[in-house]
Amino acid sequence: KKSQKASDTDHHYGHLRFENGAKLIIGVILFLVGAGMLWSAGNKLLHPETHQVVKGAALWVAILALLIKEGLFRYMYATGKRIQSSLLIANAWHARSDAASSLVVALGIVGNLAGYPILDPIAALIVGFMVGRMGWEFAWDALHDLMDRSADDEEVQRIRQTILETPGVLGAHDLRTRKMGDMIIVDAHIEVDATQTVEAGHDIAVNVRQRVLKKHRVLNLMAHVDPSQRPDRDHPQGFVADAS
């Protein structure tokens, strides 16, 4: 809800990074939960006298939780893909980690019921490691998004191809991207015929922006117009620009 707020005087590009921030928070919470589970399970292994025999009902609860969480994962993951929400996808994997945890717990309960109570804290150790690792991956991924990580190479190449296919564009270089929530902000230098008027070059740049925004999940594109086959003086001596 917060990420869908319109732009304002303090946030010219909107509030889409609320999703990245929320994903970071989910990751930190998962990591702390996993660490807490590891600590608790480690203490139980060090003190075998604290092991308790569980009842058979616990196994059915674990199986029921496994089925519910796996169904929730599939629903949220499909919805997240459809609406292109990395936050919902992250939450879906959270549900999948719960499903995997329930499976490990069920195995631990089976071992406990079979007369091996030590399998219960061992299962808890495995679950804690799984949850902690997933939390670390979520948090690290979200942190990179908040630090203006670029879009993946495949998507950048698709955007470049759209620019090059725009009528009047003779080349493109210095194509740079950065993530903004689940959207992308693009900066690009487009090359046009040097003999054209400023107005004609501007019209080409506008067309480039409209085409890219229509075909890709791009929030905004800033196009810098360069004369084709002329030296690019936008960079200091020694700077190697992306000429592809």
Side-chain angles (χ1 to χ4, degrees):
K1 183 177 179 180
K2 286 285 188 181
S3 69
Q4 297 304 311
K5 288 179 62 178
S7 58
D8 54 35
T9 55
D10 294 326
H11 305 85
H12 294 173
Y13 289 98
H15 299 75
L16 293 171
R17 280 189 173 156
F18 265 108
E19 288 215 18
N20 304 123
K23 185 178 177 182
L24 176 61
I25 293 171
I26 289 177
V28 171
I29 290 173
L30 282 174
F31 180 77
L32 293 176
V33 168
M37 294 177 70
L38 288 171
W39 179 269
S40 176
N43 282 333
K44 288 184 178 180
L45 285 174
L46 292 175
H47 302 89
E49 68 278 2
T50 62
H51 295 174
Q52 296 179 347
V53 178
V54 299
K55 298 185 180 296
L59 178 60
W60 295 110
V61 172
I63 294 174
L64 180 62
L66 168 62
L67 295 175
I68 292 174
K69 287 295 186 177
E70 180 63 21
L72 188 59
F73 161 76
R74 293 177 182 273
Y75 173 74
M76 286 197 296
Y77 186 81
T79 304
K81 283 289 188 181
R82 178 170 54 83
I83 66 175
Q84 295 185 337
S85 171
S86 61
L87 177 59
L88 195 57
I89 292 174
N91 208 34
W93 281 107
H94 180 193
R96 168 59 70 86
S97 73
D98 287 344
S101 301
S102 297
L103 176 61
V104 176
V105 167
L107 295 175
I109 292 173
V110 169
N112 192 301
L113 293 173
Y116 301 96
I118 195 173
L119 291 180
D120 192 45
I122 291 176
L125 276 175
I126 297 172
V127 171
F129 175 77
M130 291 168 56
V131 173
R133 180 184 177 186
M134 184 165 293
W136 171 264
E137 290 175 351
F138 283 171
W140 188 250
D141 190 60
L143 185 61
H144 276 283
D145 285 345
L146 289 169
M147 295 170 63
D148 284 345
R149 178 165 57 182
S150 62
D152 61 77
D153 292 340
E154 184 178 342
E155 191 151 28
V156 171
Q157 290 305 318
R158 288 198 298 266
I159 294 172
R160 183 191 303 278
Q161 191 61 33
T162 299
I163 293 174
L164 293 174
E165 291 173 352
T166 304
V169 175
L170 303 180
H173 60 276
D174 286 6
L175 176 60
R176 297 183 177 130
T177 62
R178 51 195 168 103
K179 302 285 288 294
M180 177 68 71
D182 289 306
M183 301 293 285
I184 303 169
I185 295 177
V186 181
D187 298 313
H189 287 224
I190 61 172
E191 301 168 19
V192 302
D193 187 349
T195 62
Q196 292 187 109
T197 64
V198 173
E199 183 179 9
H202 171 264
D203 289 342
I204 293 173
V206 170
N207 193 21
V208 166
R209 182 179 184 275
Q210 292 174 342
R211 284 167 55 88
V212 169
L213 265 61
K214 183 178 181 181
K215 294 184 64 175
H216 307 278
R217 55 191 186 103
V218 171
L219 179 65
N220 189 48
L221 182 146
M222 177 62 69
H224 178 91
V225 179
D226 285 332
S228 179
Q229 298 181 341
R230 298 289 180 88
D232 189 343
R233 300 176 182 175
D234 294 327
H235 307 296
Q237 189 69 26
F239 180 87
V240 179
D242 174 16
S244 58

